[in-house]
């Protein structure tokens, strides 16, 4: 028992010694590394054992004529037997391959002990053949050479397992040195030194190689694990996402496509592999920033690109793909292609084009809208009328208003009025032709911009022709209709110093034409100052209004879609003039903006609205309209913060409404202020959505909280299927972008029903409440509470009756 314990302790110490020679690897990888070390040794076992047998036979034959032939014969027999046993064990191991992937440390310890035993046999050779005076120097040198060769061969064969290589070579070195040192011969002593050097080189080489060997295995295992994880993630991505994956080589040919991409292209994966990706797509490409080079040029740049949209022909249809990719490189850093994702964005592109057209064209007449007109006017001014830009030729604006159109609308209804506007637009477009751009500014107002401007008599002839053409009878839905037209004309640069003034002066001339009896045209004249004088008087009164406390804030309720409960109020400015009476904002806000008064007025409205809202029960909100001029001052953020602090109103209960026109100029500065307002905790809404710019770019570039559907859409929704589709598109857009949608101008139960079906979030209009002074709000809230309580009581009674039945 004591012997067994001693043997166990000795084996444990040897295993610990051998383990200390192995490189450190993670515990979960140790068994795998040991298996690879064993496989590396077994791979060379036949060669190693064969070399031992052959060299032992040669040594025996060399020593047969010497005095040690018996000892050498016995030694050779032992080595040969050991070699044959090793070959037999190797053959058996090949036959019983069990698929094991790990080996225990004890197993490698046995390998090292077996190698040490073979080393001891070779270590005995110098003592048998060299340790007496009968051995010649040549014999000793031959034996040392054999030993050195066996050390080298053994070290090479067991390079991956340092314990085995050292256990094999150490006895040979000890046996050789024992004889060489005792000889005292300088030559043999030098051979001993060389033998030690060889032994050290082999030992350190084995240790170094084993470390690299293990590190590569660990790295390979980690890489394989990462590949599996990536493969799993990619598989989940392809199964769960609408996007698809692709990869190309350095020549642009597809090397990998997912099933989704093949389906999107309408062909099989095998048909796509090897085809240049650029050949599938159209020549032009677009990015979010605008047109870009072709795909071939993008691939040549070897840079990351994102959201590049290209056209693809699929089954005789044009589809649009959005592609994003990054270059891939090999281990040497050489470019080998691109790997990326793609998606079919045809539907999204069509929706964006529809919204874009909605932003630039009038829905009813399909003429350019006010935005397009202003853009065309600005370009015409820059190209032909701006003295600072060396422009020449001038430009002209014709403002046109239909006479007696309101009577047609009121007597025959909006459908007939809409059909009449469509016919007017067609006649106007045909009459002006290529002379200029015709636009509908709104209602029955149209405008024409002409550049370069022709002579005044030609403009007069064109205006006369327009009046005559539009005054011809119309046959609309069985009705014979007669209307007229009045036109005001202003010519730049003689009549204005900027595009806005040119439009304003054309509008002044239009008013003169209507005042002179309608059905006429008038050129702008400097003498048209009566209206300007009236505006001057209005300006003086308005400057005094704030000081005299003539401005009042009225509040119109905002109603929730589901429960029809009050969610808040919109603050609306009114002017209680001592002579004019209650003046609506449409009569003075534009003037206040032009005269630079809107900043003070807007600040007062903001403070008053917050002060009143702070007294309401939470979570009722208050919405305040902001003017673009307030943003231009750069003081708006501070004014809002001051109003919140002064009133104590929770920022989340304040909603600031901006118009789309605000985003047309100085966009970066505007965005900075909007972001600062958002950081205060207030909500931002886009007012009158659909009548101006309506750009999707700003909806995703800035996180708006709400869009307000313009009342003109709500008014025409019941009688116009196209308008209904547009409203549905806008509400769907709000849901997609997670924006609240408020419908303005709701006046009928039918409108409520249609908007509710479209999942509009809030209603605002006369149906639920007119703008009221702040003193009426408590009674309004009490009446609303009573109404809801009655409704709940009726519903509860109905439930009880249903339950008893």
């Amino acid at each position: 028992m004591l012997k067994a314990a001693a043997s166990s302790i000795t084996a444990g110490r040897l295993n610990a010694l051998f383990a200390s020679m192995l490189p450190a690897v993670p515990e979960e990888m140790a068994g795998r590394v040991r298996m690879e070390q064993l496989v590396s040794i077994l791979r060379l076992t036949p060669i190693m054992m064969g070399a031992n047998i052959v060299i032992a036979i040669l040594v025996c034959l060399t020593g047969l004529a010497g005095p040690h032939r018996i000892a050498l014969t016995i030694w050779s027999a032992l080595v040969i037997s050991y070699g044959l046993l090793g070959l037999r064990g190797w053959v058996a191991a090949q036959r019983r391959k069990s698929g094991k992937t790990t080996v225990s440390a004890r197993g490698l310890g046995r390998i090292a002990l077996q190698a040490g035993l073979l080393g001891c046999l070779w270590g005995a050779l110098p003592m048998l053949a060299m340790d007496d005076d009968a051995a010649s120097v040549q014999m000793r040198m031959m034996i040392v050479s054999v030993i050195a060769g066996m050390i080298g061969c053994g070290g090479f064969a067991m390079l991956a397992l340092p314990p085995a290589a050292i256990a094999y070579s150490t006895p040979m070195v000890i046996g050789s040195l024992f004889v060489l040192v005792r000889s005292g011969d300088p030559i043999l002593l030098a051979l001993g030194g060389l033998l030690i050097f060889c032994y050290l080189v082999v030992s350190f080489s084995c240790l170094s190689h084993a470390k690299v060997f293990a590190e590569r295995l660990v790295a390979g295992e980690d890489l394989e694990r990462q590949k599996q994880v990536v493969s799993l993630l990619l598989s989940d991505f392809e199964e769960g996402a609408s996007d698809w994956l692709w990869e190309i080589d350095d020549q642009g040919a597809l090397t990998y496509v997912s099933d989704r991409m093949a389906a999107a292209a309408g062909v099989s994966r095998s048909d796509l592999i090897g085809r240049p990706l650029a050949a599938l797509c159209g020549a032009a490409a677009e990015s979010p920033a605008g047109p870009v080079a072709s795909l071939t040029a993008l691939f040549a740049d070897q840079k990351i690109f994102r959201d590049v949209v290209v056209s693809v022909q699929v089954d005789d249809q044009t589809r649009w793909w959005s592609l994003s990719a990054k270059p891939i490189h090999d281990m040497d850093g050489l470019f080998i292609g691109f790997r990326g994702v793609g998606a079919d964005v045809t539907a999204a592109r069509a929706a964006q084009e529809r919204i874009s057209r909605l932003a630039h064209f009038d829905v009813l007449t399909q003429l350019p809208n006010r935005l397009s007109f202003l853009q065309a006017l600005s370009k015409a001014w820059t190209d032909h009328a701006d003295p600072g830009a060396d422009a020449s030729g001038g430009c002209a604006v014709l403002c046109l208003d239909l006479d007696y159109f309101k009577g047609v609308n009121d007597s025959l209804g909006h459908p007939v009025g809409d059909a009449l506007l469509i016919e007017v637009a067609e006649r106007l477009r045909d009459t002006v032709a290529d002379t200029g751009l015709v636009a509908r500014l709104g209602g029955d107002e149209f405008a024409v911009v002409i550049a370069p401007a022709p002579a005044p008599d030609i403009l007069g002839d064109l205006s006369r022709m327009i009046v005559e053409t539009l005054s011809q009878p119309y046959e609309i839905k069985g009705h014979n209709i007669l209307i007229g037209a009045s036109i005001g004309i202003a010519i730049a640069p003689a009549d204005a110093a900027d595009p806005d003034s040119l439009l304003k002066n054309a509008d002044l001339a239009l008013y003169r034409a209507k005042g002179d009896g309608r059905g006429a045209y008038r050129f702008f004249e400097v003498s048209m100052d009566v209206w300007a004088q009236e505006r001057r008087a209005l300006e003086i009164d308005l400057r005094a209004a704030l000081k005299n406390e003539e401005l009042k804030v009225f509040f119109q309720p905002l109603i929730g879609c589901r429960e029809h409960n009050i969610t808040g109020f919109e603050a609306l400015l009114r002017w209680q003039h001592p002579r004019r009476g209650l003046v609506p904002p449409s009569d003075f806000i534009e003037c206040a903006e032009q005269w630079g008064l809107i900043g003070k007025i807007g600040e007062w409205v903001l403070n008053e609205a917050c002060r009143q809202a702070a007294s309401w029960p939470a979570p009722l909100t208050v919405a305040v309209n902001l003017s673009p001029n307030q943003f231009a001052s750069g003081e708006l953020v501070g004014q809002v913060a001051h109003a919140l602090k002064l009133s104590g109103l929770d920022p989340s209960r304040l909603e600031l409404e901006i118009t789309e026109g605000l985003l047309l100029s100085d966009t970066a500065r505007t965005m900075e202020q909007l972001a600062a307002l958002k950081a205060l905790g207030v909500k931002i809404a886009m007012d009158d959505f659909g009548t101006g710019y309506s750009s999707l770019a700003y909806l995703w570039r800035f996180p708006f909280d709400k869009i307000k559907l313009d009342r003109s859409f709500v008014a025409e929704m019941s009688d116009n299927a196209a308008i209904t589709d547009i409203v549905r598109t806008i509400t769907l857009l709000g849901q997609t972008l997670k924006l609240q949608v408020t419908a303005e101008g709701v006046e009928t139960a039918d409108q409520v029903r249609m908007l509710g079906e479209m999942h509009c979030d809030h209603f605002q209009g006369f149906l639920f409440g007119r703008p009221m002074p702040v003193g009426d709000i408590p009674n309004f809230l009490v009446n609303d509470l009573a109404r809801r309580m009655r409704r709940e009581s009726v519903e509860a009674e109905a439930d009880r009756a249903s339950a008893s039945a």
Side-chain angles (χ1 to χ4, degrees):
M1 184 177 295
L2 291 176
K3 289 182 178 180
S7 176
S8 176
I9 293 173
T10 301
R13 289 177 177 176
L14 286 174
N15 287 334
L17 177 63
F18 292 153
S20 66
M21 299 180 188
L22 295 173
V25 295
E27 183 62 30
E28 64 273 12
M29 279 289 297
R32 172 74 182 279
V33 171
R34 288 192 291 265
M35 171 57 78
E36 293 297 330
Q37 290 173 321
L38 178 60
V39 169
S40 175
I41 292 176
L42 290 177
R43 192 178 298 115
L44 296 176
T45 293
I47 298 174
M48 182 66 179
M49 292 299 103
N52 276 269
I53 292 172
V54 172
I55 295 174
I57 293 173
L58 293 176
V59 170
C60 180
L61 293 175
T62 304
L64 286 179
H68 305 293
R69 55 182 176 273
I70 296 176
L72 289 177
T73 301
I74 296 173
W75 175 86
S76 298
L78 291 175
V79 173
I80 293 170
S81 299
Y82 190 95
L84 292 175
L85 287 174
L87 289 174
R88 180 176 177 275
W90 178 82
V91 172
Q94 297 301 308
R95 290 178 177 175
R96 66 168 183 268
K97 284 185 177 178
S98 59
K100 289 178 61 177
T101 59
T102 61
V103 173
S104 65
R106 186 183 298 274
L108 285 190
R110 287 196 297 268
I111 297 296
L113 289 175
Q114 293 170 6
L117 179 59
L118 181 59
C120 289
L121 289 176
W122 282 100
L125 176 60
M127 291 183 285
L128 293 176
M130 297 168 53
D131 194 22
D132 56 25
D133 296 335
S136 64
V137 173
Q138 291 80 3
M139 182 64 178
R140 292 177 177 176
M141 292 180 65
M142 186 272 292
I143 296 298
V144 171
S145 299
V146 169
I147 294 298
M150 294 307 296
I151 291 174
C153 292
F156 174 77
M158 292 174 278
L159 198 59
L161 188 60
I166 294 174
Y168 173 73
S169 58
T170 300
M172 289 189 279
V173 174
I174 293 174
S176 300
L177 291 178
F178 177 78
V179 175
L180 295 175
V181 171
R182 290 184 58 189
S183 68
D185 189 310
I187 297 177
L188 296 180
L189 290 176
L191 286 176
L194 290 175
L195 191 62
I196 293 174
F197 177 76
C198 177
Y199 168 74
L200 293 176
V201 169
V202 170
S203 299
F204 283 114
S205 297
C206 289
L207 292 171
S208 176
H209 176 78
K211 181 180 179 181
V212 173
F213 182 82
E215 289 175 348
R216 286 183 176 177
L217 284 177
V218 172
E221 184 71 17
D222 289 342
L223 182 60
E224 183 63 27
R225 189 180 298 111
Q226 292 175 9
K227 286 183 177 179
Q228 293 176 359
V229 172
V230 170
S231 177
L232 180 61
L233 292 175
L234 290 178
S235 177
D236 291 343
F237 174 80
E238 291 186 7
E239 292 176 1
S242 60
D243 294 0
W244 25 260
L245 305 174
W246 56 272
E247 188 173 319
I248 60 172
D249 58 19
D250 58 347
Q251 300 301 314
L254 287 164
T255 57
Y256 172 82
V257 294
S258 63
D259 291 334
R260 289 183 183 274
M261 181 176 180
V267 296
S268 65
R269 292 180 63 184
S270 58
D271 290 337
L272 287 177
I273 298 298
R275 292 181 62 182
L277 178 58
L280 293 175
C281 309
E286 301 174 7
S287 73
V292 297
S294 64
L295 275 183
T296 303
L298 288 175
F299 293 158
D301 288 342
Q302 300 181 13
K303 295 179 181 178
I304 295 175
F305 60 85
R306 290 184 176 89
D307 301 325
V308 172
V309 178
V310 296
S311 61
V312 181
Q313 290 299 124
V314 179
D315 297 332
D316 297 329
Q317 293 182 350
T318 299
R319 309 291 296 180
W320 296 92
W321 290 359
S322 175
L323 302 177
S324 300
K326 66 176 182 178
I328 52 179
H329 302 82
D330 61 13
M331 298 296 291
D332 297 325
L334 297 177
F335 171 74
I336 58 174
F338 275 89
R339 181 181 295 123
V341 297
D344 190 315
V345 295
T346 305
R349 185 181 177 89
Q352 185 171 3
E353 289 177 349
R354 185 177 182 185
I355 295 295
S356 177
R357 180 169 181 81
L358 178 65
H360 291 84
F361 289 85
D362 177 60
V363 176
L364 180 65
T365 64
Q366 299 303 308
L367 289 176
N369 60 10
R370 178 180 290 271
L371 171 65
S372 296
F373 173 79
L374 293 177
Q375 290 175 339
L377 176 57
S378 178
K379 185 176 186 306
W381 180 275
T382 302
D383 294 344
H384 300 283
D386 188 355
D390 295 329
S392 61
C395 63
V397 170
L398 282 63
C399 282
L400 184 150
D401 188 87
L402 299 182
D403 300 330
Y404 316 114
F405 174 78
K406 187 176 184 302
V408 174
N409 238 1
D410 293 343
S411 60
L412 300 180
H414 288 290
V416 174
D418 290 345
L420 176 59
L421 288 175
I422 293 173
E423 180 66 26
V424 167
E426 291 179 356
R427 293 188 185 184
L428 188 57
R429 188 188 296 113
D430 293 340
T431 303
V432 175
D434 296 333
T435 304
L437 175 105
V438 180
R440 183 191 180 199
L441 302 185
D444 61 345
E445 299 177 12
F446 297 84
V448 181
V449 59
I450 302 174
D457 57 340
I458 297 178
L459 287 174
D461 291 341
L462 176 62
S463 299
R464 186 182 303 106
M465 188 183 304
I466 292 174
V467 171
E468 292 175 355
T469 301
L470 298 185
S471 300
Q472 296 298 315
Y474 297 84
E475 286 292 332
I476 306 293
K477 296 186 177 182
H479 301 281
N480 186 272
I481 299 174
L482 286 173
I483 60 171
S486 300
I487 300 176
I489 308 168
I491 306 173
D495 293 340
D498 55 67
D500 291 338
S501 298
L502 184 65
L503 179 59
K504 180 194 72 174
N505 291 341
D507 206 35
L508 284 175
L510 170 62
Y511 285 130
R512 171 63 64 84
K514 295 179 77 70
D516 288 349
R518 307 190 180 187
Y521 65 90
R522 294 290 183 269
F523 286 90
F524 171 76
E525 299 175 4
V526 179
S527 60
M528 296 176 180
D529 60 351
V530 175
W531 181 81
Q533 291 177 7
E534 292 180 352
R535 283 168 61 89
R536 178 58 180 167
L538 184 68
E539 178 184 357
I540 294 173
D541 290 346
L542 187 57
R543 289 185 184 277
L546 193 58
K547 180 180 178 181
N548 298 334
E549 298 183 355
E550 296 174 5
L551 297 180
K552 307 294 180 183
V553 177
F554 279 42
F555 296 90
Q556 186 175 25
L558 298 171
I559 307 300
C561 171
R562 294 185 178 180
E563 303 294 335
H564 287 189
N565 58 311
I566 301 172
T567 61
F569 293 86
E570 180 179 1
L572 301 172
L573 182 63
R574 296 292 185 267
W575 181 10
Q576 188 67 52
H577 194 277
R579 296 189 313 275
R580 303 171 190 265
L582 192 63
V583 183
S586 58
D587 291 350
F588 66 88
I589 286 296
E590 183 179 353
C591 300
E593 290 180 338
Q594 294 178 1
W595 298 330
L597 299 176
I598 197 64
K600 291 183 179 180
I601 295 176
E603 184 178 6
W604 178 83
V605 172
L606 183 64
N607 288 326
E608 184 68 12
C610 290
R611 185 177 69 84
Q612 296 295 344
S615 65
W616 302 339
L620 290 182
T621 63
V622 63
V624 179
N625 290 279
L626 298 179
S627 166
N629 293 29
Q630 291 176 267
F631 283 86
S633 69
E635 300 174 355
L636 179 61
V637 178
Q639 292 174 359
V640 172
H642 177 71
L644 291 171
K645 181 178 180 181
L646 193 65
S647 64
L649 181 69
D650 189 323
S652 64
R653 295 176 59 193
L654 176 60
E655 184 177 287
L656 301 177
E657 298 184 3
I658 66 171
T659 58
E660 300 167 334
L662 172 67
L663 304 174
L664 285 177
S665 61
D666 200 6
T667 303
R669 186 182 179 191
T670 300
M671 283 300 188
E672 289 177 2
Q673 294 184 75
L674 287 174
L677 291 172
K678 189 76 173 175
L680 293 177
V682 303
K683 295 181 173 64
I684 307 296
M686 181 176 284
D687 198 11
D688 299 333
F689 185 80
T691 61
Y693 197 49
S694 303
S695 172
L696 291 180
Y698 292 107
L699 288 182
W700 67 259
R701 282 179 57 189
F702 182 82
F704 287 95
D705 299 288
K706 178 187 287 188
I707 53 178
K708 299 192 71 175
L709 189 63
D710 187 70
R711 64 180 65 249
S712 62
F713 290 109
V714 177
E716 300 184 34
M717 182 176 60
S718 300
D719 302 320
N720 193 318
I723 297 295
T724 303
D725 289 340
I726 291 170
V727 173
R728 184 177 291 106
T729 299
I730 293 176
T731 56
L732 181 60
L733 175 66
Q735 296 167 22
T736 303
L737 298 178
K738 295 181 175 56
L739 302 176
Q740 295 280 308
V741 179
T742 296
E744 297 180 304
V746 179
E747 298 182 0
T748 67
D750 189 48
Q751 292 170 349
V752 172
R753 178 187 59 78
M754 296 177 68
L755 291 168
E757 292 174 352
M758 298 176 190
H759 303 290
C760 185
D761 300 292
H762 302 278
F763 305 133
Q764 181 180 355
F766 289 171
L767 180 65
F768 298 101
R770 293 176 176 271
M772 65 189 75
V774 66
D776 293 350
I777 291 180
N779 287 336
F780 186 81
L781 293 175
V782 169
N783 293 336
D784 179 72
L785 178 61
R787 178 186 60 79
R788 284 191 289 162
M789 293 178 64
R790 287 196 301 271
R791 186 183 64 187
E792 292 175 359
S793 176
V794 170
E795 291 177 351
E797 185 66 29
D799 291 340
R800 287 193 296 269
S802 176
S804 62

